[in-house]
Protein backbone atom coordinates (compact mmCIF):
# COMPACT_ATOMS: atom_id res chain seq x y z
CA UNK A 1 0.00 0.00 0.00
CA UNK A 2 1.45 3.35 -0.96
CA UNK A 3 1.99 6.02 1.67
CA UNK A 4 -0.78 8.56 2.12
CA UNK A 5 1.36 10.73 4.36
CA UNK A 6 4.56 12.61 3.65
CA UNK A 7 7.17 14.93 5.08
CA UNK A 8 8.21 17.89 2.94
CA UNK A 9 11.33 19.87 3.83
CA UNK A 10 11.97 23.50 2.98
CA UNK A 11 14.32 26.14 4.26
CA UNK A 12 12.18 28.79 5.98
CA UNK A 13 14.24 31.59 4.36
CA UNK A 14 13.27 30.23 0.94
CA UNK A 15 9.64 29.30 1.67
CA UNK A 16 8.08 28.94 5.11
CA UNK A 17 4.74 27.79 6.41
CA UNK A 18 3.98 31.48 7.04
CA UNK A 19 4.63 32.23 3.36
CA UNK A 20 2.20 29.46 2.40
CA UNK A 21 -0.47 30.76 4.77
CA UNK A 22 -0.26 34.20 3.06
CA UNK A 23 -0.70 32.84 -0.48
CA UNK A 24 -4.03 33.20 -2.30
CA UNK A 25 -6.20 30.24 -1.27
CA UNK A 26 -3.28 29.32 1.05
CA UNK A 27 -1.96 27.24 -1.85
CA UNK A 28 1.36 27.15 -3.67
CA UNK A 29 3.21 24.92 -6.10
CA UNK A 30 6.00 22.87 -4.49
CA UNK A 31 8.64 23.32 -7.15
CA UNK A 32 12.40 23.02 -7.46
CA UNK A 33 12.82 19.39 -6.37
CA UNK A 34 15.91 18.12 -8.18
CA UNK A 35 16.48 14.72 -6.64
CA UNK A 36 15.07 11.70 -8.48
CA UNK A 37 13.93 9.83 -5.37
CA UNK A 38 12.16 12.95 -4.03
CA UNK A 39 10.68 13.48 -7.51
CA UNK A 40 9.34 9.92 -7.47
CA UNK A 41 7.70 10.65 -4.12
CA UNK A 42 6.05 13.76 -5.60
CA UNK A 43 4.79 11.62 -8.50
CA UNK A 44 3.24 9.17 -6.02
CA UNK A 45 1.24 11.87 -4.23
CA UNK A 46 -2.48 12.11 -4.77
CA UNK A 47 -4.96 14.88 -4.08
CA UNK A 48 -5.95 14.75 -0.42
CA UNK A 49 -2.71 13.25 0.86
CA UNK A 50 -1.29 15.05 3.92
CA UNK A 51 2.26 16.14 4.61
CA UNK A 52 4.19 17.32 7.61
CA UNK A 53 5.72 20.73 6.82
CA UNK A 54 9.35 20.64 7.94
CA UNK A 55 11.60 23.68 8.28
CA UNK A 56 15.11 22.46 7.42
CA UNK A 57 18.51 24.11 7.64
CA UNK A 58 17.18 26.20 10.51
CA UNK A 59 18.08 26.58 14.16
CA UNK A 60 16.38 24.40 15.19
CA UNK A 61 15.06 22.34 12.30
CA UNK A 62 11.75 20.57 12.80
CA UNK A 63 8.08 20.03 11.99
CA UNK A 64 5.98 23.20 12.06
CA UNK A 65 2.62 22.17 10.61
CA UNK A 66 0.50 20.22 8.16
CA UNK A 67 -0.33 20.74 4.48
CA UNK A 68 -2.64 18.91 2.11
CA UNK A 69 -1.78 17.90 -1.45
CA UNK A 70 -4.32 19.85 -3.48
CA UNK A 71 -3.05 19.03 -6.97
CA UNK A 72 -1.10 15.89 -7.89
CA UNK A 73 2.16 15.93 -9.86
CA UNK A 74 2.45 18.02 -12.99
CA UNK A 75 5.50 19.32 -14.93
CA UNK A 76 7.70 21.72 -12.94
CA UNK A 77 7.67 24.85 -15.10
CA UNK A 78 10.72 26.25 -13.26
CA UNK A 79 12.87 23.65 -15.00
CA UNK A 80 12.07 25.31 -18.34
CA UNK A 81 12.70 28.90 -17.24
CA UNK A 82 16.33 30.01 -17.78
CA UNK A 83 15.84 32.78 -15.22
CA UNK A 84 14.80 30.36 -12.47
CA UNK A 85 17.33 29.02 -9.97
CA UNK A 86 15.68 25.63 -10.65
CA UNK A 87 16.31 25.77 -14.41
CA UNK A 88 17.49 22.52 -16.01
CA UNK A 89 18.86 22.85 -19.56
CA UNK A 90 18.05 19.16 -20.18
CA UNK A 91 14.33 19.75 -19.57
CA UNK A 92 12.19 20.32 -22.66
CA UNK A 93 8.48 21.19 -22.88
CA UNK A 94 7.74 17.70 -24.22
CA UNK A 95 10.26 15.88 -21.98
CA UNK A 96 10.55 17.45 -18.55
CA UNK A 97 11.90 15.04 -15.92
CA UNK A 98 10.84 17.28 -13.04
CA UNK A 99 7.44 17.59 -11.41
CA UNK A 100 5.74 19.66 -8.75
CA UNK A 101 2.57 19.38 -6.69
CA UNK A 102 0.31 22.01 -5.18
CA UNK A 103 0.13 22.13 -1.40
CA UNK A 104 -2.51 23.89 0.68
CA UNK A 105 -1.99 25.14 4.23
CA UNK A 106 -3.98 23.18 6.80
CA UNK A 107 -2.49 23.81 10.21
CA UNK A 108 0.41 25.49 11.94
CA UNK A 109 1.51 23.96 15.22
CA UNK A 110 1.72 26.24 18.25
CA UNK A 111 5.48 25.78 18.06
CA UNK A 112 8.05 24.00 15.94
CA UNK A 113 8.76 20.44 17.10
CA UNK A 114 12.56 20.20 16.81
CA UNK A 115 14.36 17.19 15.43
CA UNK A 116 15.84 16.42 18.86
CA UNK A 117 12.33 16.31 20.34
CA UNK A 118 11.03 14.11 17.52
CA UNK A 119 13.79 11.61 18.38
CA UNK A 120 12.29 11.22 21.86
CA UNK A 121 8.73 10.36 20.76
CA UNK A 122 8.20 6.60 21.10
CA UNK A 123 7.20 5.00 17.80
CA UNK A 124 9.23 7.31 15.56
CA UNK A 125 12.50 5.38 15.79
CA UNK A 126 12.35 4.22 12.13
CA UNK A 127 11.19 7.53 10.68
CA UNK A 128 13.30 8.51 7.66
CA UNK A 129 13.92 12.11 8.78
CA UNK A 130 15.49 10.83 12.02
CA UNK A 131 18.11 8.74 10.25
CA UNK A 132 21.62 10.15 10.30
CA UNK A 133 22.37 11.70 6.95
CA UNK A 134 18.73 11.83 5.83
CA UNK A 135 18.64 14.69 3.36
CA UNK A 136 15.70 13.69 1.15
CA UNK A 137 13.41 16.72 0.81
CA UNK A 138 10.21 14.75 0.13
CA UNK A 139 9.79 11.47 1.96
CA UNK A 140 7.02 9.05 2.90
CA UNK A 141 5.72 8.96 6.46
CA UNK A 142 3.65 6.11 7.85
CA UNK A 143 0.12 6.74 9.07
CA UNK A 144 1.31 5.91 12.59
CA UNK A 145 4.20 8.40 12.42
CA UNK A 146 1.89 11.12 11.09
CA UNK A 147 -0.65 10.38 13.83
CA UNK A 148 1.99 10.37 16.58
CA UNK A 149 3.41 13.74 15.52
CA UNK A 150 -0.04 15.28 15.03
CA UNK A 151 -1.16 14.01 18.43
CA UNK A 152 2.03 15.25 20.05
CA UNK A 153 1.50 18.70 18.52
CA UNK A 154 -2.10 18.78 19.76
CA UNK A 155 -0.86 17.82 23.23
CA UNK A 156 1.60 20.70 23.16
CA UNK A 157 -1.15 23.07 22.05
CA UNK A 158 -3.35 21.84 24.86
CA UNK A 159 -0.45 22.30 27.27
CA UNK A 160 -0.16 18.63 28.19
CA UNK A 161 2.90 17.75 26.03
CA UNK A 162 1.64 14.14 26.12
CA UNK A 163 2.50 13.46 29.71
CA UNK A 164 3.24 9.88 30.56
CA UNK A 165 4.83 8.98 27.23
Amino acid sequence: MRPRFWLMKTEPEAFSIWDLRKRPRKTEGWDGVRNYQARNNLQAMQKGDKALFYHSNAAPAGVIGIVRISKPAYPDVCALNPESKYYDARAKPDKNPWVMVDVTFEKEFSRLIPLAELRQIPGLEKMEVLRVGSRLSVQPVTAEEFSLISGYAEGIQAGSALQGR
Side-chain angles (χ1 to χ4, degrees), residues 141-152:
V141 173
T142 68
E144 180 182 7
E145 291 164 343
F146 187 90
S147 178
L148 284 169
I149 292 171
S150 299
Y152 186 81

Side-chain angles (χ1 to χ4, degrees), residues 60-95:
V63 177
I64 189 66
I66 297 173
V67 297
R68 175 178 34 84
I69 308 308
S70 50
K71 183 176 180 181
Y74 59 97
D76 184 341
V77 295
C78 296
L80 304 172
N81 180 355
E83 295 178 19
S84 170
K85 65 181 176 179
Y86 301 119
Y87 175 68
D88 183 342
R90 297 168 298 164
K92 305 296 177 215
D94 61 336
K95 192 174 181 184

Side-chain angles (χ1 to χ4, degrees), residues 36-143:
Y36 285 103
Q37 187 175 354
R39 186 247 358 232
N40 292 346
N41 289 336
L42 288 175
Q43 288 175 323
M45 291 178 173
Q46 292 186 5
K47 185 176 180 175
D49 285 0
K50 305 260 181 165
L52 298 167
F53 198 106
Y54 186 95
H55 281 173
S56 65
N57 202 20
V63 177
I64 189 66
I66 297 173
V67 297
R68 175 178 34 84
I69 308 308
S70 50
K71 183 176 180 181
Y74 59 97
D76 184 341
V77 295
C78 296
L80 304 172
N81 180 355
E83 295 178 19
S84 170
K85 65 181 176 179
Y86 301 119
Y87 175 68
D88 183 342
R90 297 168 298 164
K92 305 296 177 215
D94 61 336
K95 192 174 181 184
N96 184 349
W98 306 113
V99 299
M100 57 193 287
V101 298
D102 285 358
V103 297
T104 300
F105 174 89
E106 280 219 344
K107 176 189 256 183
E108 178 185 348
F109 297 153
S110 62
R111 69 172 175 83
L112 180 134
I113 304 171
L115 191 59
E117 204 168 316
L118 290 171
R119 291 186 193 288
Q120 297 186 16
I121 300 174
L124 298 183
E125 296 83 8
K126 294 181 181 178
M127 192 171 178
E128 174 70 27
V129 75
L130 301 181
R131 293 184 188 164
V132 175
S134 173
R135 298 183 43 88
L136 196 60
S137 64
V138 179
Q139 51 193 254
V141 173
T142 68

